[in-house]
Amino acid sequence: APCKGEVIGLAPLADAMPRPLHLLFSMNRSNDLILPVFSLGETAKQQLLPPPRFMLVSTIGAHVLKKIQPLDILQERLVAGDASMIQDFALQYTAEQTCALCFQLLTQVPKPLDASGVTLTDP
């Protein structure tokens, strides 16, 4: 649905590095090891870091937006089973990136489902 308010501002929300990654990369008391994780491309770091979030302030209120990641889009298109949408998606990435996304889908921890089979979202 279109929003009737005017956007006043949009800013990224800083997310802390997940604790296991922080422990892994902070063993050396230097931040030199953490920087490569943050400088990875979107398809590479989506398995390591939570999706980027943004604060949108408008004349009708403040909203937190979460970016939909390529992995989520691919999963949605595979579930829909539309071959042309899957092909369009694959053409936006290199063969290696598309293969890596498929591998991520195959190896990810399943998301919990509610009683009706709907994926439970993050709080």
Side-chain angles (χ1 to χ4, degrees):
C3 179
K4 296 187 181 198
E6 289 185 38
V7 173
I8 297 170
L10 178 68
L13 291 175
D15 281 325
M17 180 177 277
R19 184 157 174 74
L21 279 178
H22 179 71
L23 292 173
L24 177 67
F25 288 104
S26 64
M27 300 292 238
N28 178 358
R29 304 243 187 259
S30 168
N31 286 338
D32 295 342
L33 291 177
I34 293 176
L35 294 177
V37 174
F38 287 114
S39 64
L40 290 172
E42 181 180 25
T43 56
K45 70 180 172 185
Q46 67 184 350
Q47 286 287 78
L48 299 171
L49 300 174
R53 297 180 315 141
F54 302 89
M55 174 66 75
L56 173 76
V57 178
S58 72
T59 54
I60 59 171
H63 308 277
V64 175
L65 307 174
K66 182 171 79 169
K67 184 176 186 309
I68 298 172
Q69 296 183 304
L71 190 62
D72 299 324
I73 295 168
L74 176 59
Q75 184 174 18
E76 182 180 290
R77 291 184 179 186
L78 287 169
V79 169
D82 185 340
S84 65
M85 288 180 66
I86 296 168
Q87 183 177 13
D88 289 344
F89 177 87
L91 292 173
Q92 295 176 31
Y93 299 94
T94 65
E96 294 83 6
Q97 289 172 321
T98 302
C99 183
L101 288 168
C102 290
F103 183 76
Q104 288 175 11
L105 280 177
L106 289 170
T107 59
Q108 73 182 359
V109 175
K111 296 178 182 174
L113 303 176
D114 68 10
S116 65
V118 175
T119 302
L120 298 174
T121 57
D122 296 328

